[in-house]
Amino acid sequence: MTVKQISIFVENKEGRIKKAIDTLAKENINIRALSIADTTKYGILRLIVSDNEKAIEALENDGFIVKENEVILLSVPDEPNGLNSTLAVFDETGINLEYLYAFVSSKTDKAIVVMRLENMEKAINALNKNNIKILDTQDIKDL
Amino acid sequence: MFWNEKAECMNKEEKEKIQLERLQKTVKLAYENVEFYKKRFDEIGLKPEDIKTLKDIEKIPFTTKSDLREAYPLGLLAVPREEIVEVHASSGTTGKPTVTAYTQNDLDIWGECIARGLKMAGAKKEYIIQNAYGYGLFTGGFGIHHGGNRMGAITIPISAGNTQRQLDTMVDFQSEILTCTPSYAAYLGESREKAGIPLEDINLKIGIHGAEMWTSELRNRIETSLGIKTHNIYGLTEVMGPGVAQECKQQNGMHIQDDHFYPEIIDSETGETLDYGENGELVLTSLTKTGMPILRFRTKDLTSLIGEKCECGRTTVRMTRITGRSDDMLKIKGVMVFPSQIEKALLKVHGVTPNYLIHVTRPDILDEVEVKVEASKELFSDEMKEMERVEKQIQSSIRSETGLRVDVTLCEPESLPRSEGKAVRVIDEREFE
Ligand SMILES: [Zn+2]
């Protein structure tokens, strides 16, 4: 099971990120996780939100370019090596990591990691084989 | 098939006879009524009677945009002011605008030229024209409107902008003809796709686009996204407005209405007249306008002329697609570059919009070029390396088209400047002392 993330193209201009966040706030959309990858000129804002459909519509109406794609969410014990054992699974199977970001929730003592891998299908199989639980949309609703 | 078969399919002898008669009349009118022309002629001892053949036109001094600017607003009238019924002006990006004034007869000629173009593109009297050129001082909106009226077709003066209303109008009125700038046509096509309106729901057949340079790549995009056949139209405020020339269904050069406008091609450096087929600057002389006749106006537009009869049956001289403007040409790192080359390079990359801005600076001693391109949903990715790949692809496409290494910056949709619906393509901040 995967979760759908939305990505937004934002220029590195004052106020653009704020504008995107404001657009979501106006629609009462919760942001569960957020990360930014940027160059000096623009950034890619990646978000896990409570309602993708509504978020995409609102953002596009405000002139943003938005894309939706699958990511893998895992909960990782908040301890040294917590993440390493998971990453080792990908190493062993030769699956490249595209990017990763993490967030913590007040409702659990574990960290939630969001990952995008080169081959998502292979990655899901590898995790299943190693009995690592992948979080689904329902799981994160409760966070 | 023809709006005015006699004028459009005349043989060479007949055409030249009419052109000479009209040229002589225009020269006389200008010399006797416009101080500017009288002074110019007197300076070199030229008299209207010295124009005995068409070739003698080469004796007449050129008129430039700055001459028109100096005569601002109505210094070049050849008739009493009360005979003028309409004026238009081109935007003054540098200094004062240039004004053109029309008598009722001039407006009729304008309408006639546009009507010929509409018919050339396959228009019928019962068609509806959705005129999305800007209405105002700009000649686009009113020019097409005069032509629509002349033809007797319904002309919707929707003007430029308000994309939703444009799409609604296409669907509700089932308009057959769309007239607007090519960049706006491409944008409307994109917007139709984005709005999920199927091609079957609109009824457009013909597009007439001009006032900006465009490439065949952009043409393909417009034709596919709106399901139309497009026709390049040419004209300029200083001479009349759109309709001086337009493509027929052959899409092989624009037919110049040469019983109203006499074209020449010159070497823009030496001013020497060039032969048909040679590339150079277009120079136009009005043959019938009386409000503000214009003699040998240097358009700065680079093109070449085709003299052979067209497959459509018309004998009017054709001009090829404008490849650039002699003053738009950028010399970067010693290399000649036209914005149209950049546009061509961009459109070769999948998902790239034709909305771009060339920003030239010279921070130290070397020129630097940044090409800003509006991103689109197709090329956007959540992965940085994919975005960088697109930028590199654009970069190498520009390099193979122009030989220049440029910086490419993706920016948000509709973030690049547009003026009067016309895209701003170049910002040159180099200081030349
Ligand atoms: Zn033709």
Side-chain angles (χ1 to χ4, degrees), chain A residues 11 16 46 60 67 99, chain B residues 377 380 382 385 412:
Chain A
E11 261 177 67
R16 289 308 289 167
R46 303 179 186 127
E60 284 185 342
K67 256 200 177 154
Y99 57 79
Chain B
K377 193 160 181 156
F380 175 56
D382 62 311
K385 75 169 189 211
E412 287 179 27

Side-chain angles (χ1 to χ4, degrees), chain A residues 5 7-11 16 37-39 41-42 44 46 60 63-67 69 98-99 116, chain B residues 194 370 375-385 387-388 391 407-413 415:
Chain A
Q5 158 197 271
S7 314
I8 311 166
F9 179 76
V10 277
E11 261 177 67
R16 289 308 289 167
D38 66 349
T39 68
K41 293 160 180 170
Y42 60 83
I44 301 167
R46 303 179 186 127
E60 284 185 342
F64 287 99
I65 298 178
V66 192
K67 256 200 177 154
N69 64 307
E98 297 289 0
Y99 57 79
R116 171 86 185 163
Chain B
K194 223 166 122 183
E370 181 191 24
S376 66
K377 193 160 181 156
E378 290 86 81
L379 65 76
F380 175 56
S381 163
D382 62 311
E383 289 172 26
M384 198 50 96
K385 75 169 189 211
M387 298 291 280
E388 282 164 356
E391 286 183 329
D407 273 333
V408 171
T409 304
L410 294 173
C411 50
E412 287 179 27
S415 63

Side-chain angles (χ1 to χ4, degrees), chain A residues 22-79:
Chain A
D22 282 350
T23 300
L24 296 174
K26 244 185 273 156
E27 297 293 320
N28 288 319
I29 295 161
N30 287 330
I31 299 172
R32 301 196 199 282
L34 173 155
S35 98
I36 297 167
D38 66 349
T39 68
T40 50
K41 293 160 180 170
Y42 60 83
I44 301 167
L45 192 59
R46 303 179 186 127
L47 304 166
I48 308 283
V49 298
S50 55
D51 187 340
N52 279 5
E53 208 176 307
K54 222 164 115 188
I56 293 170
E57 199 194 326
L59 288 162
E60 284 185 342
N61 280 343
D62 273 357
F64 287 99
I65 298 178
V66 192
K67 256 200 177 154
E68 188 182 39
N69 64 307
E70 295 188 322
V71 284
I72 292 174
L73 264 70
L74 301 173
S75 69
V76 173
D78 196 8
E79 61 186 42

Side-chain angles (χ1 to χ4, degrees), chain B residues 258-357:
Chain B
D258 57 6
D259 53 332
H260 293 294
F261 302 96
Y262 185 79
E264 296 170 86
I265 296 288
I266 61 159
D267 179 319
S268 54
E269 305 270 307
T270 64
E272 219 175 291
T273 309
L274 302 176
D275 287 332
Y276 279 19
E278 286 187 275
N279 207 57
E281 181 181 334
L282 178 70
V283 169
L284 290 169
T285 299
S286 70
L287 297 175
T288 47
K289 289 202 312 168
T290 51
M292 223 175 110
I294 189 146
L295 304 180
R296 299 195 89 202
F297 181 71
R298 291 190 61 156
T299 66
K300 303 269 186 188
D301 288 322
L302 302 177
T303 179
S304 61
L305 297 178
I306 307 169
E308 291 90 55
K309 179 177 173 178
C310 179
E311 278 178 46
C312 71
R314 289 177 181 82
T315 54
T316 41
V317 171
R318 281 169 290 159
M319 59 188 273
T320 57
R321 180 185 290 271
I322 307 282
T323 52
R325 282 180 60 76
S326 58
D327 56 359
D328 256 7
M329 193 174 63
L330 288 160
K331 209 169 174 183
I332 302 166
K333 297 176 192 168
V335 181
M336 307 282 203
V337 183
F338 285 109
S340 56
Q341 288 177 285
I342 305 276
E343 178 175 318
K344 201 170 164 201
L346 290 177
L347 290 170
K348 282 184 179 159
V349 182
H350 177 76
V352 172
T353 66
N355 304 325
Y356 64 94
L357 175 73

Side-chain angles (χ1 to χ4, degrees), chain B residues 31 34-48 50 59-63 67 70:
Chain B
Y31 182 82
V34 187
E35 214 187 292
F36 164 80
Y37 287 116
K38 183 174 189 318
K39 216 173 128 224
R40 280 285 168 94
F41 275 54
D42 288 349
E43 273 166 13
I44 55 165
L46 185 68
K47 293 270 172 258
D50 296 335
K59 295 176 181 165
I60 301 172
F62 294 116
T63 305
D67 293 329
E70 272 166 41

